[in-house]
Amino acid sequence: MASFLTIRSESALVPIRVLIGGIIVSHGVTHFSNGIASFGEFFLSKGISHGVMVAWIVSIIEIVGGISFVFGKFAKPLGLYFFFELLLGSYWIHWQSGKFIVEAGKNGIEYSILLIVSFLVVALSKSSWK
């Protein structure tokens, strides 16, 4: 009975990988639907030159990389990339808004922390994903 309830760690991470990969894909798509130029302006406001080009690159990596991540292709390096991307984004955007999404009405850091840790767990897992 105990073996029936036991899930190999790699199998246990599949739903997490698929879920957070799908979330990052939708995050990338949102950049396009909200206007890539405004996303580029955000990067410029943070002192990053060529903001629109960076916005395109980040958005494409989120969409294409997220789909690849869902299917377990390049999951470890993409997990690390998304870990650092979301860590930086959380610092820039969510940190000053408080801990909770509902705190002060929006943009708290709790959801971001959950995604950040989830990407790190997948990236550091002992799995056959490359």
Side-chain angles (χ1 to χ4, degrees):
M1 183 70 161
S3 63
F4 172 73
L5 298 175
T6 304
I7 300 172
R8 292 182 356 173
S9 62
E10 184 174 338
S11 299
L13 288 175
V14 170
I16 294 169
R17 191 190 73 226
V18 170
L19 177 66
I20 63 176
I23 289 169
I24 207 74
V25 169
S26 67
H27 194 254
V29 169
T30 301
H31 297 311
F32 288 105
S33 63
N34 289 343
I36 202 78
S38 64
F39 188 36
E41 290 294 324
F42 169 76
F43 283 117
L44 289 171
S45 76
K46 296 300 179 186
I48 296 175
S49 59
H50 309 292
V52 174
M53 182 178 70
V54 172
W56 273 94
I57 292 168
V58 168
S59 300
I60 289 169
I61 291 172
E62 286 182 350
I63 295 168
V64 175
I67 292 168
S68 179
F69 188 85
V70 164
F71 289 103
K73 302 297 181 192
F74 308 106
K76 290 177 179 280
L78 284 167
L80 284 176
Y81 169 81
F82 293 135
F83 166 79
F84 286 113
E85 176 190 309
L86 293 173
L87 194 64
L88 182 59
S90 294
Y91 173 74
W92 278 343
I93 299 167
H94 302 287
W95 186 257
Q96 63 271 19
S97 297
K99 295 179 189 100
F100 303 107
I101 294 171
V102 295
E103 189 175 306
K106 62 180 181 173
N107 283 337
I109 197 164
E110 66 180 340
Y111 178 68
S112 298
I113 290 172
L114 178 61
L115 289 174
I116 289 165
V117 170
S118 296
F119 277 114
L120 186 62
V121 165
V122 171
L124 299 179
S125 68
K126 290 177 98 177
S127 67
S128 60
W129 308 321
K130 306 249 185 281

